[in-house]
Amino acid sequence: MAIKARLGKLPLTFAVKEISLDLRAFVQILDDDIYLRPAGPGETEASSIKLQLTTITKPMIDENSVDYSTEDPKFSLREALGDQISETEQRQLERIGVRTVQQLNELKEKAGTDVIARLSRMPVNRLQQALLRAAAPRVTKVESGAGRGKGAGSGDTSSRVHLSAPGLRPGRLPRVRAAGESVAVVGAEDGGIVLAPMASQLGCEAEVDFGDGQIARVQLTQGQLGQWSAS
């Protein structure tokens, strides 16, 4: 419906003045599917189902549906959580509107782990493991020094590594070390940081210390997902 309204540019998706359906049927729910079997002659124990349809406009759809923006498949919910989440648990999260790592982290910040666990019907310990992995830093882009030069003789040939950093706190940059030496943090953006590692540090495992005992390790290679370690 959302795709039809947005791509088809139809301000009013469908218009029904009033329809009321009164059904006699048996209802069965299996996993995420609902099955209705119409009642036959003499079956008096069937449920009574009443449906009413109304109009819905494009602004209403935009306010109540997911934004279908392109997401890098390397950082999808399944890729980020791996064996920390089963297909059933993934469907449970999708039922409450969580389809991406970003949505999971945002919901954790706003509602907390207990609320997510109750709504998704996931065990709290399983959800905590999933959230911990989802909040680990991941390398979103690596720019080589040769590709960043501003021109001949500019001298700006250092590499840049872009990290998604959900654990980043406003006004406080993490300490980063790789190959036994510090890695320069040259920028911070919304939910991410930019590193300027030496050539010898590229491809090495980096330790990202967010403060307050939060430490994660991630390899400085494009597409790598990090993991938390003991401080």
Side-chain angles (χ1 to χ4, degrees):
M1 188 182 298
I3 293 176
K4 179 181 176 182
R6 292 168 182 165
L7 302 184
K9 298 180 180 179
L10 302 175
L12 187 64
T13 301
F14 61 88
V16 179
K17 183 178 181 181
E18 183 177 354
I19 290 183
S20 180
L21 302 177
D22 193 347
L23 305 178
R24 297 285 295 173
F26 293 93
V27 181
Q28 184 178 17
I29 300 177
L30 295 177
D31 295 328
D32 295 333
D33 299 321
I34 300 177
Y35 296 90
L36 299 178
R37 182 178 68 81
E43 293 182 318
T44 59
E45 297 181 355
S47 300
S48 178
I49 303 173
K50 295 184 179 181
L51 302 176
Q52 287 187 328
L53 304 182
T54 185
T55 59
I56 183 169
T57 61
K58 184 177 181 298
M60 295 165 64
I61 293 175
D62 289 337
E63 291 177 359
N64 296 279
S65 61
V66 177
D67 186 8
Y68 292 96
S69 57
T70 303
E71 184 184 32
D72 192 330
K74 297 192 297 296
F75 307 123
S76 65
L77 195 63
R78 165 60 58 185
E79 183 68 22
L81 301 182
D83 57 3
Q84 297 294 329
I85 187 173
S86 65
E87 291 185 4
T88 299
E89 291 168 336
Q90 183 175 348
R91 288 197 300 269
Q92 289 172 322
L93 288 173
E94 290 175 348
R95 279 203 301 265
I96 63 173
V98 176
R99 293 175 173 82
T100 67
V101 171
Q102 180 180 355
Q103 290 174 336
L104 184 59
N105 286 320
E106 288 177 352
L107 187 57
K108 177 190 174 184
E109 292 294 328
K110 294 178 180 179
T113 304
D114 292 340
V115 173
I116 302 176
R118 185 170 66 252
L119 294 177
S120 65
R121 300 179 183 177
M122 286 181 62
V124 174
N125 60 334
R126 291 279 294 163
L127 183 60
Q128 288 175 336
Q129 293 173 1
L131 286 167
L132 196 61
R133 182 162 180 174
R138 51 188 54 84
V139 180
T140 58
K141 182 170 61 174
V142 176
E143 298 177 297
S144 65
R148 296 192 67 262
K150 296 180 180 178
S154 66
D156 186 10
T157 59
S158 59
S159 298
R160 295 290 187 268
V161 176
H162 297 253
L163 260 65
S164 168
L168 186 63
R169 297 292 181 268
R172 184 175 184 179
L173 295 178
R175 296 188 298 273
V176 185
R177 293 182 62 83
E181 298 185 71
S182 296
V183 179
V185 180
V186 297
E189 47 198 24
D190 185 20
I193 57 176
V194 181
L195 308 178
M198 296 180 290
S200 59
Q201 293 174 320
L202 284 174
C204 296
E205 185 179 73
E207 181 182 274
V208 186
D209 187 352
F210 291 97
D212 301 326
Q214 298 187 81
I215 296 178
R217 298 181 183 275
V218 61
Q219 186 176 343
L220 299 182
T221 304
Q222 180 124 1
Q224 290 296 308
L225 305 175
Q227 60 182 355
W228 296 100
S229 61
S231 59

